[in-house]
Amino acid sequence: MIEVKNLVRTFNSGDRTIKPVNDVSFELEQGTLASIVGKSGSGKSTLLSLLGALDKPTSGDVVVNGVSLAGMPDAKLTEYRRRDIGFVFQQFNLIPNLSAVDNVMLPMEFAGIRKAVRLQRAKDLLVQVQLDPEKHDRRTNRLSGGEQQRVAIARALANEPQLILADEPTGNLDEQTGDHIIELLSSLSRNHNTTILVVTHDRALANKTDRRFRLQQGKLTEEPASRPVVAASA
Amino acid sequence: MSVLARSVGNAFRNKVRTAAVVAVLAVAIGLALAMLVANQAVGAKVQELNASVGTVLTVNPAGGQGFEGGGEPLTAEQAATAAAVPNVSAVVGTQSLRLRNATEAAAQAAAGTAGGPGGGQGGPGGQSSATLTTSLTAAVDAGTLGGRNQAANGTTGTAGTTPPARSLPITATGIGAEVDTTGKALAITEGTGLGDYTAESTSALLGTTLAEKNSLTVGSTFTINDQAYTVAGLFDAGTAFGNNAVYVTLPTAQTLAGLPGELSSMIVTVDSLENVASTKTALEGALGPDNADVTQGQNLETALGSLGSVKNISLIAFIAALGTAGLIILLIMVMLVRERRREIGVLKAIGAPNRTIGLQFVLEALVLAALGSAAGAAIASFASGGIASALISTNSTSTTAAPTTGRGAAMAGAAGGAGLPGGGAGFPGGQGGPFGGAAQLVTSVTASASPGVIAAGIGAVFGVAIIGALVPALLTARIRPIEVLRGE
Ligand SMILES: Nc1ncnc2c1ncn2[C@@H]1O[C@H](COP(=O)(O)OP(=O)(O)OP(=O)(O)O)[C@@H](O)[C@H]1O
Ligand SMILES: [Mg+2]
C-alpha cells in the first residue's frame, strides 16, 4: 500500500519556477497495476523518481506501508530502493561495460544473495523478458535499445520488490514484445501481489491497467475505469 | 560478479588510459622511492659517523699542538679534572714522540745540514723535542711536501746547496687506552693490543705499512733509543700517513720522553652527541682557556655537514617526488570517479550502500596504484644506486675544496698551532689525514633498497590513492541519485 500526500516538486529554471508535480495525492492498494499518461514534459518521470526515493519532494510525503519517506536517513532510503522498489528508467541506466546477466545480478549482490542463486535467478529473469540466451553474457552497450530495455526490466524484478515503477517500459519495443512485457507485469500484480505503476504513452497499455491516471500541469486526475480490469479482458 | 572482479575489470576498462596512468604513476613513484632510498642510505651513514666519532673532543695545551706552538704541557691532574666534568664518559691521555731512523739521523748530522736544536727537527718552540732514535725506517717518502716542510723547520740556511734526500720522522704515541689519536678504537688487523695501557711495557703496535717497510711481523723486535720493543700487533688506520706510526702505552712514552705525568693531548669522549657542545664549554671552563685548547673533530663536522646536506636534498626531493606522485594519483582518481558519476548514480539508485560504492572505487584505485608501484619499484631499484652516487659525488666535489684548506691549516699549524685535531695531521707531509678517511666514508655511501623503506613509500602512495578514490566517490554517492543521473 502506497499513499502519496500533497506531493510538490518545483524546479527553478532561470528566473521562473516550474511545478511539474503540484499537490499530487493518491493511494494504491497492494497488488494494483496502474498507469500514468500525460504529455511529454508533463512531469511523469519527476513524479516517479519521487516515489522511488531517487529525488526529494519540495513538500508533501510518500508513505509506504505506513512508513514515511520524508525525513528517512540516506541509508534507509538506499535500503528502501534496494528491497522494496524495482525501478525501470526511461533511459535504462544499465552499467555499459557489464554483461546483461551481471547487470541483473547487481541488486541481488547488494542484497547479499549468494552468487549461485543470483546467477540462476538473473538468467531466469532474462528468459522471462525474452532476451535471447546468447545475449545474456553480452555487454549491455552492445545490445539494441529494446534489448537494453528488457535487461532494465529484468533488473527491476531482481529483488522481488513490492513496488515496481516503470518509466515507458515498452517505449522501445515492437508490439508483440511490448504485449509480452505487459502480460509479465500484470501477472506479477495478480500472482505476486506486486504494486505496479507504469508511465506510458501507449494507450493500449494504459487500457489494460486497473487504474489510469493523467498528469496535466502538475495535477493528477484519475480516469474512470472504462472497462473492467485487465484480468477480465485477458 | 563480485565487487573485486568489477573493480579489476573497471581498472582495465580503457586499456590505453590504464597504461598511461600506470606509466605516469610508475615514474613518480619510482622517483619518490629512489629519493627515499638515497635519504635512508645517507641517514644511516650520518648515524654511523656520529656514533663512531662525533662525540670526541680533543684537548691540547693552549697555543700548542703536537710538537708545534708553545704553552704549558697538560698534566695527569688536568686529565682527572677533565674526567670529573659532567657528561664526560672517558678521558684518554696521549704522549707523542718523534722517532728518527738512527742511521739517517747520524748521516744527516754528519752532513751538517739538519741543524735544528737537539740535532732533531723540533719545531720553533713547542713541547721540548722528544725526538728519539729508532731502528725503524719511515714508510712514507718525504716527497716534495715533506722536503719543503723539513727545510722550513730545521735548516739553518745553507742557501745554494741542493737539499739532500730527507727521511720523515715516525710518529710514536703513548696512549692510555686502545684508541687512535682521534679517539676511534684501533683497528688491530693482526696480533693483539697492548693489554694494560696504564703500565710500562716493551710491547708496541705498528701501522701495517710501517711494519711492511721494516719487514716486521707480530713477535718481531725493533728499538727505540736502543731499548728493544716487541711488536704485539698491527693496526690499520686507513691512511698511509696514519699507518706510518707506532703506539706504545702512555707510561712507556712518558718515560721515553723523560716527561712523567705529562700529556701532549687528551682525548675526551662525551656520553652523547647532544652534550658535545655543552661539554666542550664545560671542559674549557674546568681546565682554563689559558691552559688548554678544546677542539672538536672539525673534519668530521664538515663531513657530517655535507652528508647532512645530501640527506636534506634527498629528503626534499623525496617529499617533492612523493607529493607529485600523490598529486598525480589524487587527480587521476578524482578524474576517474568524476567520469563515472553516472555509474555511481545508477548503483545508488538500484540500492548500493555507500560502503559498496566506496569499496569498488578504492579497489579500482588500489589496482592502479599496485601496477604503478610495481613498475615504480622496478624503476627505483635501477635508479636509486645511480641517484645516490650522483648526489654523493656532487657533494664530494664541493668538499674536495676542504682538504686543501685542511692542508693549509696543517701548515699553518707550524706557526700558530691551529690545524686539525689529534696532532697527527699537523705533521710535515700530512695529507689532511683523518679528512681523507672521512671523504672515503662519504664516497662509500651506497644506496640499498631496504624492504621497510619501499613499503613506507608504497604505503604512502596507496594511502593517497585510497583517499583520492574514496572521497569523491562518497561525495558523489551522497547526492540524490536523480541529480547524478541527469548529469551536469
Ligand atoms: N532538474 C530539473 N531542472 C529544471 N527543470 C526540470 C528538471 N527536471 C525536469 N525538469 C522539467 O520538469 C518538467 C517535467 O519533466 P519530466 O522529465 O518529469 O517529464 P516527463 O513527463 O517524464 O516527459 P517525457 O514524457 O518526455 O519523458 C519538464 O518541463 C522538464 O523540463
Ligand atoms: Mg519522462
Side-chain angles (χ1 to χ4, degrees):
Chain A
M1 159 101 173
I2 179 163
E3 302 162 70
V4 177
K5 297 176 177 172
N6 306 102
L7 215 53
V8 178
R9 180 66 165 109
T10 60
F11 294 112
N12 294 315
S13 80
D15 48 357
R16 64 194 193 94
T17 315
I18 51 169
K19 288 192 172 182
V21 177
N22 190 3
D23 196 15
V24 167
S25 298
F26 67 97
E27 286 178 15
L28 285 180
E29 288 300 327
Q30 193 62 39
T32 312
L33 174 61
S35 62
I36 301 177
V37 294
K39 278 202 280 195
S40 177
S42 58
K44 304 182 294 296
S45 297
T46 304
L47 176 59
L48 225 53
S49 60
L50 290 171
L51 301 185
L54 301 175
D55 196 4
K56 285 202 163 77
T58 310
S59 66
D61 195 5
V62 177
V63 180
V64 182
N65 295 331
V67 182
S68 160
L69 295 191
M72 205 184 253
D74 185 73
K76 281 276 172 221
L77 287 175
T78 301
E79 193 187 324
Y80 166 71
R81 288 194 295 267
R82 177 169 68 238
R83 213 182 51 192
D84 299 326
I85 301 287
F87 206 103
V88 182
F89 297 90
Q90 197 171 5
Q91 265 84 26
F92 321 137
N93 284 333
L94 298 171
I95 307 290
N97 67 318
L98 294 186
S99 70
V101 169
D102 285 335
N103 265 283
V104 178
M105 279 165 65
L106 270 182
M108 294 188 266
E109 180 193 316
F110 302 148
I113 294 168
R114 278 201 304 124
K115 184 162 184 178
V117 176
R118 57 184 202 246
L119 180 64
Q120 189 53 53
R121 177 158 170 75
K123 286 186 169 168
D124 291 347
L125 286 167
L126 288 173
V127 170
Q128 284 184 44
V129 296
Q130 294 186 329
L131 186 74
D132 199 344
E134 72 184 32
K135 291 173 181 167
H136 287 190
D137 293 317
R138 192 180 286 185
R139 290 166 51 159
T140 52
N141 59 1
R142 294 183 186 161
L143 294 177
S144 77
E147 286 164 345
Q148 291 186 42
Q149 184 147 46
R150 280 173 284 156
V151 175
I153 293 166
R155 184 179 66 182
L157 305 184
N159 281 337
E160 300 182 325
Q162 51 166 308
L163 173 62
I164 291 173
L165 302 167
D167 201 344
E168 307 255 19
T170 59
N172 290 272
L173 302 179
D174 60 89
E175 203 181 317
Q176 207 188 339
T177 316
D179 283 347
H180 173 77
I181 292 299
I182 295 158
E183 268 316 305
L184 180 66
L185 294 177
S186 62
S187 87
L188 276 174
S189 78
R190 266 182 282 121
N191 305 329
H192 288 88
N193 202 29
T194 308
T195 309
I196 300 173
L197 186 56
V198 183
V199 166
T200 185
H201 286 294
D202 184 349
R203 208 58 239 185
L205 195 167
N207 285 338
K208 290 174 187 168
T209 58
D210 307 333
R211 295 175 69 186
R212 285 176 298 281
F213 296 96
R214 172 174 292 276
L215 192 60
Q216 219 167 5
Q217 282 160 3
K219 301 290 183 189
L220 195 75
T221 50
E222 184 163 8
E223 296 180 354
S226 57
R227 266 195 266 168
V229 289
V230 178
S233 70
Chain B
M1 184 172 243
S2 66
V3 184
L4 179 63
R6 210 157 52 235
S7 303
V8 175
N10 282 336
F12 294 100
R13 206 149 150 179
N14 182 336
K15 292 189 180 60
V16 175
R17 191 189 55 194
T18 302
V21 165
V22 168
V24 172
L25 276 182
V27 171
I29 292 171
L31 194 59
L33 286 178
M35 286 305 147
L36 187 57
V37 166
N39 178 260
Q40 285 289 102
V42 178
K45 189 53 79 179
V46 166
Q47 236 172 7
E48 193 182 307
L49 281 174
N50 276 339
S52 61
V53 281
T55 58
V56 172
L57 295 173
T58 306
V59 183
N60 285 303
Q65 168 135 15
F67 305 109
E68 319 295 355
E72 294 300 319
L74 296 170
T75 62
E77 291 81 65
Q78 281 172 311
T81 309
V85 169
N87 300 323
V88 168
S89 56
V91 176
V92 176
T94 71
Q95 177 58 261
S96 300
L97 306 169
R98 184 180 287 184
L99 307 181
R100 296 289 300 195
N101 181 275
T103 327
E104 282 181 29
Q108 281 180 14
T113 52
Q121 273 73 34
Q127 298 193 30
S128 58
S129 52
T131 301
L132 309 164
T133 56
T134 179
S135 61
L136 297 171
T137 307
V140 178
D141 291 331
T144 307
L145 286 171
R148 244 184 256 156
N149 272 302
Q150 300 255 13
N153 272 354
T155 312
T156 51
T158 49
T161 61
T162 316
R166 298 168 193 280
S167 76
L168 286 179
I170 298 161
T171 321
T173 311
I175 44 175
E178 198 167 294
V179 292
D180 68 10
T181 47
T182 63
K184 259 194 301 187
L186 275 177
I188 295 181
T189 55
E190 265 177 66
T192 60
L194 299 178
D196 184 1
Y197 285 81
T198 59
E200 282 203 46
S201 145
T202 54
S203 295
L205 297 171
L206 257 64
T208 47
T209 52
L210 185 61
E212 204 177 313
K213 175 87 176 182
N214 293 281
S215 310
L216 298 176
T217 56
V218 173
S220 309
T221 56
F222 64 95
T223 63
I224 301 175
N225 270 8
D226 299 329
Q227 160 78 50
Y229 286 84
T230 310
V231 179
L234 303 182
F235 65 89
D236 184 8
T239 61
F241 180 79
N243 282 339
N244 183 38
V246 178
Y247 285 109
V248 293
T249 66
L250 180 60
T252 309
Q254 286 170 334
T255 306
L256 278 170
L259 305 165
E262 279 190 21
L263 304 172
S264 49
S265 76
M266 295 191 287
I267 299 156
V268 177
T269 308
V270 182
D271 59 0
S272 79
L273 201 65
E274 302 87 72
N275 293 330
V276 169
S278 63
T279 308
K280 182 168 182 267
T281 317
L283 263 179
E284 281 163 351
L287 299 173
D290 294 339
N291 300 324
D293 285 334
V294 182
T295 50
Q296 213 177 333
Q298 290 156 352
N299 51 327
L300 286 156
E301 260 175 71
T302 318
L304 282 174
S306 49
L307 267 178
S309 71
V310 171
K311 192 166 149 56
N312 288 342
I313 291 167
S314 61
L315 185 65
I316 291 166
F318 164 67
I319 291 169
L322 190 68
T324 309
L327 194 67
I328 290 171
I329 297 168
L330 196 72
L331 293 179
I332 285 173
M333 291 322 300
V334 168
M335 261 170 47
L336 287 185
V337 174
R338 185 107 199 125
E339 222 172 70
R340 304 234 302 279
R341 259 170 77 87
R342 193 180 169 83
E343 183 180 327
I344 293 174
V346 172
L347 293 173
K348 184 85 178 164
I350 62 174
N354 289 356
R355 67 187 132 81
T356 307
I357 295 171
L359 182 65
Q360 178 181 323
F361 281 89
V362 164
L363 288 175
E364 189 175 334
L366 289 182
V367 170
L368 291 176
L371 289 174
S373 304
I379 291 176
S381 65
F382 286 115
S384 57
I387 290 174
S389 62
L391 278 174
I392 285 155
S393 69
T394 309
N395 179 59
S396 53
T397 313
S398 67
T399 54
T400 39
T404 318
T405 341
R407 200 175 293 152
M411 297 225 203
L420 296 170
F427 277 104
Q431 315 163 347
F435 199 86
Q440 225 171 350
L441 285 179
V442 173
T443 43
S444 78
V445 170
T446 47
S448 69
S450 91
V453 168
I454 303 256
I458 291 182
V461 163
F462 275 50
V464 174
I466 290 174
I467 291 168
L470 192 60
V471 172
L474 289 183
L475 285 178
T476 308
R478 274 178 46 179
I479 304 170
R480 24 178 116 162
I482 197 72
E483 278 178 38
V484 182
L485 288 173
R486 203 176 278 127
E488 308 301 283

